């Protein structure tokens, strides 16, 4: 082979390798595609078919539904939108105590729509806690309901495509600082450890609702606003080999560590809700919500310090302002107004906007630690 031919061959090989690397990077970024939670607690919201069209026109490729709303499921057919399909807490007891009920639920809400609706996860219950007075009586039903739904899906040989899990909130974390010492509360371990064991067996992720807003608003003395909004110019928390410049990563890695520290095994985490209200409470404003959401959308294309190799699948809360929620701030998490107008100027593929606010625009101090 001539030297010219050899150089041409090497150049072609390098070009192919670079193309492969770029494709791999693009696939990796696609893993971090943002979803949006479609809540319906409003008396002025558009019909489901218009909402699904709004998702498509804004390139929102993932959705979370909190219950199997039939109009929404019909409208989702052939939309190519991936779905977290929720089982309401009110159904847990029925599905846990009667496997036939679970099979009928799966037939009615999963099989009747699959595969024209791309159901990715079934979330069995939301924020059930054995130590929360409002949901504590339901805790005994979560794992049996998860298992019955899983078995009904497995009987159709769909368990590799549709993963069954449950969604928890951060109140189940007992220690979160530093993140590497994250652990679940001692009084929820008997509830949560068997669920984690099931998730490991089923190769399913744990769904977690992660809200830096509530951590910041509950402790503004120790948690700075820039740290919560992804605008801190410097590392805030140094945790051994891990360094944290934002609260979201620290909270999420405390969950990763809590799972690891059970010793049960490696279970992935999907952020099933995260958002910032635009009014109604301490630390709420249009600008704070805009900055948090815009930065979150771009940030989750990468991983966390503890899981740097994997984009963070994240669902923004919520699609609309919902006027039937309470307290007041719960009405103001929407990315869109009920008239379908966008509240914020950014897109949902991580486009950068020109007016990102720097941390120096806030009169806040960087804490030495964060009690998250």
């Amino acid at each position: 082979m001539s030297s010219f031919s050899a150089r041409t061959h090497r150049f072609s090989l390098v070009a192919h390798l670079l193309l492969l690397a770029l494709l791999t990077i693009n696939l990796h970024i696609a893993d971090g595609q943002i979803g949006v939670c479609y809540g319906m607690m409003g008396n002025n919201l558009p019909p489901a078919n218009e909402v699904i069209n709004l998702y498509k026109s804004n390139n929102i490729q993932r959705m979370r539904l909190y219950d199997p709303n039939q109009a929404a499921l019909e409208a989702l057919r052939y939309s190519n939108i991936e779905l977290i399909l929720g089982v309401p807490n009110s159904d847990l007891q029925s599905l846990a105590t009667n496997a036939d009920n679970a099979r009928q639920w799966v037939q009615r809400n999963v099989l009747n729509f699959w595969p024209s609706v791309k159901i990715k996860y079934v979330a069995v219950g939301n924020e059930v806690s054995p130590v929360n007075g409002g949901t504590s009586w339901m805790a005994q039903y979560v794992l049996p309901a998860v298992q019955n739904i899983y078995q009904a899906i497995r009987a159709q040989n769909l368990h590799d495509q549709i993963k069954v899990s449950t969604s928890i909130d951060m109140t189940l974390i007992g220690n979160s600082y530093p993140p590497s010492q994250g652990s679940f509360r001692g009084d929820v371990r008997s509830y949560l450890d068997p669920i984690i064991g099931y998730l490991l067996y089923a190769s399913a992720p744990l769904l977690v609702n992660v809200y830096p807003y509530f951590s910041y608003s509950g402790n503004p003395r120790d948690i700075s606003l820039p740290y919560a909004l992804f605008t801190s110019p410097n590392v805030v928390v140094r945790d051994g080999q891990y360094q944290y410049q934002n609260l979201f990563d620290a909270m999420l890695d405390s969950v990763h560590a809590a799972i690891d520290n059970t010793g049960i095994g490696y279970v992935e985490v999907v952020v099933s809700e995260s958002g910032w209200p635009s009014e109604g409470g301490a630390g709420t404003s249009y600008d704070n919500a805009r900055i948090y959401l815009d930065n979150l959308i771009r940030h989750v294309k990468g991983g966390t310090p503890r899981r740097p190799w994997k984009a963070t699948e994240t669902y923004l809360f919520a699609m609309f302002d919902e006027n039937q929620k309470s307290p007041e701030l719960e009405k103001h998490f929407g990315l869109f107004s009920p008239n379908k107008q966008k509240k914020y100027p950014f897109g949902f593929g991580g486009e950068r906007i020109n007016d990102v606010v720097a941390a120096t625009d806030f009169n806040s101090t960087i804490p030495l630690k964060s009690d998250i």
Side-chain angles (χ1 to χ4, degrees):
M1 182 184 294
S2 70
S3 60
F4 174 78
S5 297
R7 284 197 301 272
T8 303
H9 177 75
R10 284 197 298 271
F11 177 80
S12 176
L13 182 61
V14 169
H16 279 93
L17 288 172
L18 282 172
L19 179 61
L20 181 62
L22 285 171
L23 287 171
T24 303
I25 289 169
N26 285 336
L27 288 171
H28 178 72
I29 289 174
D31 288 343
Q33 176 67 46
I34 284 286
V36 178
C37 302
Y38 176 15
M40 301 183 184
M41 293 183 67
N43 61 12
N44 57 352
L45 301 181
N49 63 312
E50 294 182 17
V51 175
I52 275 60
N53 285 335
L54 195 59
Y55 271 70
K56 292 192 288 188
S57 65
N58 283 277
N59 194 32
I60 305 170
Q61 297 174 23
R62 289 178 176 162
M63 173 188 291
R64 180 180 180 183
L65 273 180
Y66 291 91
D67 64 83
N69 180 280
Q70 297 296 292
L73 288 169
E74 285 292 346
L76 280 165
R77 288 190 190 273
Y78 306 106
S79 66
N80 215 34
I81 294 171
E82 293 185 337
L83 180 66
I84 299 179
L85 176 60
V87 174
N89 291 350
S90 56
D91 288 352
L92 292 175
Q93 183 174 1
S94 168
L95 298 176
T97 56
N98 189 319
D100 280 338
N101 289 345
R103 282 190 287 271
Q104 291 169 22
W105 193 98
V106 167
Q107 179 63 56
R108 185 168 59 250
N109 302 308
V110 176
L111 302 180
N112 284 358
F113 294 96
W114 176 271
S116 62
V117 177
K118 294 178 65 174
I119 301 167
K120 186 175 186 182
Y121 309 116
V122 177
V124 182
N126 183 50
E127 296 187 347
V128 174
S129 167
V131 293
N132 176 342
T135 63
S136 58
W137 69 273
M138 304 175 186
Q140 63 186 308
Y141 301 119
V142 172
L143 182 57
V146 165
Q147 291 171 323
N148 283 345
I149 294 289
Y150 170 79
Q151 291 299 338
I153 289 173
R154 182 171 180 167
Q156 303 299 319
N157 203 32
L158 293 175
H159 57 292
D160 286 334
Q161 293 111 304
I162 303 173
K163 298 299 183 179
V164 185
S165 186
T166 190
S167 185
I168 68 169
D169 64 22
M170 293 294 295
T171 64
L172 300 192
I173 297 289
N175 182 64
S176 59
Y177 184 87
S180 64
Q181 298 302 308
S183 61
F184 295 111
R185 291 174 51 140
D187 52 3
V188 305
R189 290 289 299 273
S190 62
Y191 163 71
L192 205 48
D193 281 19
I195 291 174
I196 294 170
Y198 151 78
L199 296 173
L200 182 66
Y201 162 78
S203 298
L206 180 64
L207 309 180
V208 184
N209 300 339
V210 180
Y211 284 95
Y213 166 73
F214 289 113
S215 294
Y216 163 74
S217 63
N219 187 13
R221 181 179 65 84
D222 287 328
I223 300 175
S224 77
L225 188 57
Y227 186 53
L229 295 178
F230 299 94
T231 56
S232 173
N234 303 304
V235 171
V236 175
V237 172
R238 299 181 190 277
D239 179 16
Q241 63 181 304
Y242 307 121
Q243 298 185 351
Y244 294 91
Q245 204 164 334
N246 67 81
L247 180 56
F248 177 86
D249 278 353
M251 294 176 71
L252 186 51
D253 270 356
S254 74
V255 178
H256 290 140
I259 295 171
D260 293 346
N261 290 335
T262 65
I264 295 169
Y266 178 85
V267 171
E268 291 188 354
V269 173
V270 167
V271 177
S272 45
E273 290 181 14
S274 192
W276 196 289
S278 57
E279 59 180 281
T284 65
S285 72
Y286 173 87
D287 278 339
N288 285 352
R290 173 182 61 83
I291 293 162
Y292 176 79
L293 292 163
D294 176 55
N295 286 333
L296 177 66
I297 288 166
R298 287 182 286 107
H299 181 77
V300 298
K301 288 182 175 182
T304 65
R306 194 178 180 92
R307 301 277 190 272
W309 61 84
K310 191 175 192 308
T312 305
E313 185 176 344
T314 301
Y315 293 76
L316 305 181
F317 186 84
M319 191 65 174
F320 297 106
D321 286 337
E322 299 172 63
N323 64 4
Q324 293 178 314
K325 300 194 77 170
S326 62
E328 180 66 24
L329 68 83
E330 293 284 348
K331 295 179 171 69
H332 303 288
F333 275 92
L335 301 170
F336 291 81
S337 299
N339 65 3
K340 301 188 290 186
Q341 295 301 305
K342 289 175 72 170
K343 283 173 63 177
Y344 308 107
F346 50 77
F348 299 94
E351 299 90 339
R352 190 175 185 89
I353 59 176
N354 294 325
D355 54 347
V356 173
V357 179
T360 52
D361 293 336
F362 298 100
N363 185 22
S364 299
T365 56
I366 304 295
L368 296 176
K369 73 177 189 66
S370 281
D371 293 319
I372 55 176

